[in-house]
Amino acid sequence: MYNELNTPIRTIMTPGPVEVHPRVRQAMSTPIIGQFDPAFFKIMNEVKQMIKVPFGTKNEQAFAIDGTSRAGLEAALIGLIEPGDKVLIPAYGRFAYLLGEICERAKATTIYLEKEWDSVFDQKEIIEAIAEHQPKIVAMVHGETANGQMQPLDKIGAYCQEHETFLVVDTVATYGGVPVKVDEWGIDIAVAGTQKCVGVPAGLALITYNDRVEKVLTSRYQKELGLSKDFRNERYISSNYLDLSQLQRYWDENRINHHTEATSMIYALHEGLRLLLQEGIEAGYERHQLNDRAIQAGIHAMGLGIYGDAETKMATVTPILIPEGVDGEAVKTMMLEQFGVEIASSFGPLNGKVWRFGNMGFSSRRENVLQVLGAFEATLLYYGADIHCGKAVQAALDVYLTAK
């Protein structure tokens, strides 16, 4: 016999997934209707419009893809890449290399521009690399969760627009938590996910792209063979499931039968976006900024350091340097098992060197910040860390009580 499902209640302060708003969980219990039901089309149409707001775009094309944010990144890249195309990947953290791996598997000629993970690129450096290599695509990360750094994009996007280069951007860690300006920055394709600042379970990728991307996708469109033996295309997109040219035609007035939609996830996304817009997009950004200031104040008050360039730190992730002699994994384990608070470690060269606090979506709440700081301080004291006692929560409270 199997036991009844009984998961523990956690305070999740990782860089994703995050806690899910109760209204979102309630929306997921809404009765299932068919994916071609006119009532469901109405929900889809509203989702399309709401998706655009955190992207900062008026693009016609904005919709959800079944699969986590990685599915959206893969769909974006394979929709543009044909074998031999040049792609430039500016890498300042882990997830740039994910973009590069997707490009390599799509048989692109992949060029990496690499640097240490402690800061972002000067935009001029990337522009010079674009001028040198003349890629078809520049693919990069807006907010890198491995190191908490956020790359400015406005000059890069403007240059790409002027020189017929496509700019594909991973906004997974920033969408809904900090300003993203797809149109203003000249981004051709932007991808996000549900499991971070939208406060919805993992399972959908969000995407938007402009007219010049749509022209490429249309030129590669091939209808599924079971639907029609016409519409064959020698330049077809290599994945059927992640074919943006077909997915677009499921989400628009064509309503082609591409896949069985994850209706409960669309309900969740609808509610998550509705709540985000009800709060007000700017108010949501301000909430993330305030909670980030409180987290940083608490960390500094303990006498701990924050990794990376403070000028380009993003509000949604705080990487904290692990003090010498402290077992980072033991601290994480005690916080989870004794306090019910989850934080994260990091990857690659930062593995074992930093902890990461997430500050995203429904998890970005005052009570969560105070709880994680209290649990963190108590745990560090238990393991003999040399910190300033009793300071973290007080410093965070000062931030909250003096905020305008």
Side-chain angles (χ1 to χ4, degrees):
M1 286 292 292
Y2 295 101
N3 294 326
E4 182 181 352
L5 188 66
N6 184 21
T7 58
I9 297 172
R10 306 291 197 201
T11 298
I12 305 177
M13 293 297 282
T14 72
V18 303
E19 296 174 27
V20 174
H21 195 289
R23 295 286 293 274
V24 172
R25 289 190 279 113
Q26 184 180 29
M28 294 186 76
S29 67
T30 301
I32 300 297
I33 54 177
Q35 66 182 48
F36 294 102
D37 188 315
F40 190 64
F41 289 159
K42 182 176 184 292
I43 295 169
M44 291 173 65
N45 290 340
E46 291 180 352
V47 164
K48 283 185 67 173
Q49 295 307 311
M50 288 192 287
I51 283 174
K52 297 178 186 182
V53 179
F55 273 133
T57 188
K58 294 182 179 178
N59 286 341
E60 174 64 25
Q61 300 304 332
F63 51 87
I65 298 168
D66 289 3
T68 61
S69 47
R70 188 174 297 217
L73 296 172
E74 189 154 338
L77 290 166
I78 66 175
L80 289 178
I81 293 171
E82 298 182 63
D85 283 344
K86 252 194 245 185
V87 184
L88 176 68
I89 312 279
Y92 65 98
R94 174 197 169 178
F95 289 99
Y97 294 101
L98 168 61
L99 300 178
E101 179 157 331
I102 293 169
C103 293
E104 290 172 6
R105 289 173 183 244
K107 303 190 184 328
T109 299
T110 308
I111 303 158
Y112 293 94
L113 180 65
E114 299 175 287
K115 68 176 305 298
E116 294 296 322
W117 289 16
D118 59 347
S119 61
V120 299
F121 287 93
D122 185 314
Q123 292 191 74
K124 183 180 178 183
E125 187 178 355
I126 295 175
I127 290 168
E128 288 172 352
I130 298 169
E132 176 186 352
H133 296 289
Q134 298 289 303
K136 176 180 176 179
I137 300 163
V138 175
M140 58 190 309
V141 177
H142 182 216
E144 172 57 67
T145 56
N147 54 15
Q149 292 289 298
M150 187 166 65
Q151 173 69 54
L153 296 167
D154 57 326
K155 294 181 177 62
I156 299 164
Y159 186 87
C160 287
Q161 291 294 320
E162 291 169 6
H163 293 82
E164 298 299 314
T165 301
F166 291 102
L167 179 59
V168 178
V169 179
D170 169 346
T171 65
V172 175
T174 51
Y175 178 92
V178 301
V180 175
K181 301 179 181 180
V182 165
D183 294 352
E184 184 177 324
W185 294 343
I187 298 172
D188 292 288
I189 306 182
V191 177
T194 51
Q195 77 277 17
K196 296 186 187 284
C197 298
V198 184
V200 170
L204 292 176
L206 314 179
I207 193 165
T208 186
Y209 50 86
N210 59 21
D211 291 344
R212 66 180 191 144
V213 171
E214 187 174 351
K215 287 178 183 176
V216 173
L217 298 175
T218 298
S219 73
R220 302 186 70 188
Y221 175 60
Q222 176 171 295
K223 187 178 283 190
E224 190 177 320
L225 191 59
L227 300 177
S228 173
K229 293 184 179 180
D230 301 325
F231 299 103
R232 300 291 89 193
N233 193 329
E234 292 180 356
R235 296 172 54 224
Y236 63 84
I237 294 168
S238 58
S239 171
N240 172 280
Y241 188 72
L242 298 177
D243 183 340
L244 285 178
S245 71
Q246 293 191 32
L247 287 166
Q248 174 186 311
R249 286 163 174 79
Y250 169 60
W251 278 84
D252 68 17
E253 66 278 359
N254 291 282
R255 304 296 183 189
I256 68 167
N257 192 333
H258 177 265
H259 64 285
T260 303
E261 188 52 84
T263 50
S264 294
M265 280 300 300
I266 298 297
Y267 298 158
L269 175 58
H270 186 282
E271 185 62 9
L273 289 169
R274 192 192 68 79
L275 289 168
L276 190 154
L277 300 184
Q278 179 178 282
E279 177 183 15
I281 194 70
E282 295 296 333
Y285 298 154
E286 290 170 6
R287 169 170 54 86
H288 284 84
Q289 288 285 352
L290 176 62
N291 290 329
D292 177 58
R293 292 202 306 274
I295 289 169
Q296 290 193 67
I299 297 305
H300 287 307
M302 276 190 276
L304 298 176
I306 294 175
Y307 178 82
D309 186 342
E311 293 298 314
T312 49
K313 180 193 176 299
M314 63 177 169
T316 53
V317 181
T318 300
I320 302 156
L321 291 164
I322 298 175
E324 188 175 348
V326 175
D327 184 335
E329 289 304 306
V331 168
K332 275 179 53 189
T333 300
M334 175 171 278
M335 289 181 68
L336 185 67
E337 292 181 351
Q338 301 302 321
F339 295 91
V341 176
E342 185 179 6
I343 62 171
S345 53
S346 193
F347 315 101
L350 296 184
N351 185 31
K353 295 182 179 179
V354 302
W355 296 290
R356 295 178 302 148
F357 285 9
N359 173 43
M360 296 177 167
F362 187 59
S363 287
S364 181
R365 307 196 308 278
R366 180 176 310 200
E367 58 268 34
N368 278 15
V369 171
L370 297 174
Q371 185 178 355
V372 72
L373 287 172
F376 189 51
E377 182 181 276
T379 304
L380 288 173
L381 289 173
Y382 183 86
Y383 283 109
D386 183 15
I387 61 171
H388 304 312
C389 300
K391 301 294 186 181
V393 172
Q394 297 303 312
L397 283 170
D398 283 342
V399 170
Y400 289 129
L401 295 174
T402 58
K404 294 181 180 179

